[in-house]
Amino acid sequence: FIDGLSDGIFRGMDNSVGADDGIVIKDESGDLIQGNTLQNFYDCPIENAGKMFDTKIIGNRASNAGVCFLGGWYYSSVKGILVKDNVVSDTPNLFYFFRSYGLKPSEQLVYFQNNTFEGNKLSNPKLGSSFSFASSFAFDGSSVPLQNFVLGNNVLRNNDFTKLLGP
């Protein structure tokens, strides 16, 4: 059980209350995040920074976040993850991934490949914020040239984004 003691509203990094994130995965492989209850974060209950490879995020419950349930943007590179059967409420969206910052000296490629998002549920989404959308996966070449991205073979199956947000 992790409580970030936030009101769940993102007001920018310097003006938000409580904890930014609950669990941060930074340049790791093979993690299992399962059966946790995460609540009250102004950003995301689970966030990756850097690479997140071969990780399983299964059967967690999360509520009252300001941005998303699971996201990554700071040097984000994601490959072979399974995100399954998580239940989320009072959060603007389920998944939010993009890439901020260029390639690290140790990187040649950025991945968003072979990932599965299955059976996750969002209820009572926070509406009216700039993050109120079902999910976003945006790799546009603004931080890293498109030829350095490996994108594909990602599966989104049987997720419930609510009728308020749509798929």
Side-chain angles (χ1 to χ4, degrees):
F1 181 85
I2 301 173
D3 189 335
L5 301 175
S6 173
D7 58 8
I9 299 171
F10 182 78
R11 297 180 186 87
M13 295 300 287
D14 295 329
N15 296 314
S16 295
V17 175
D20 181 3
D21 305 305
I23 297 172
V24 177
I25 302 162
K26 185 175 182 186
D27 292 324
E28 297 184 36
S29 296
D31 291 335
L32 172 63
I33 300 169
Q34 184 173 18
N36 298 286
T37 299
L38 307 149
Q39 66 185 31
N40 304 323
F41 303 96
Y42 67 79
D43 193 29
C44 306
I46 304 172
E47 183 176 329
N48 82 289
K51 78 175 185 183
M52 177 173 61
F53 292 175
D54 304 315
T55 293
K56 295 178 182 173
I57 301 169
I58 302 170
N60 299 285
R61 300 183 69 77
S63 62
N64 195 34
V67 177
C68 66
F69 164 63
L70 170 64
W73 38 89
Y74 299 117
Y75 296 106
S76 184
S77 188
V78 179
K79 181 169 66 170
I81 70 168
L82 172 64
V83 183
K84 185 175 180 179
D85 299 332
N86 298 285
V87 178
V88 180
S89 64
D90 299 314
T91 299
N93 69 75
L94 281 173
F95 315 119
Y96 190 29
F97 287 94
F98 61 96
R99 174 68 181 229
S100 288
Y101 306 117
L103 293 171
K104 293 180 184 180
S106 61
E107 276 184 312
Q108 294 178 353
L109 299 170
V110 173
Y111 293 92
F112 198 83
Q113 181 184 42
N114 300 331
N115 303 303
T116 301
F117 301 83
E118 179 176 18
N120 301 285
K121 179 177 177 55
L122 174 63
S123 63
N124 193 32
K126 287 185 180 177
L127 302 175
S129 86
S130 59
F131 304 106
S132 296
F133 41 80
S135 289
S136 178
F137 305 90
F139 304 96
D140 61 5
S142 60
S143 295
V144 173
L146 289 174
Q147 66 264 22
N148 293 89
F149 280 100
V150 179
L151 309 171
N153 197 38
N154 298 294
V155 175
L156 278 91
R157 178 176 41 231
N158 298 324
N159 296 290
D160 182 350
F161 298 101
T162 79
K163 290 181 181 180
L164 295 171
L165 296 174

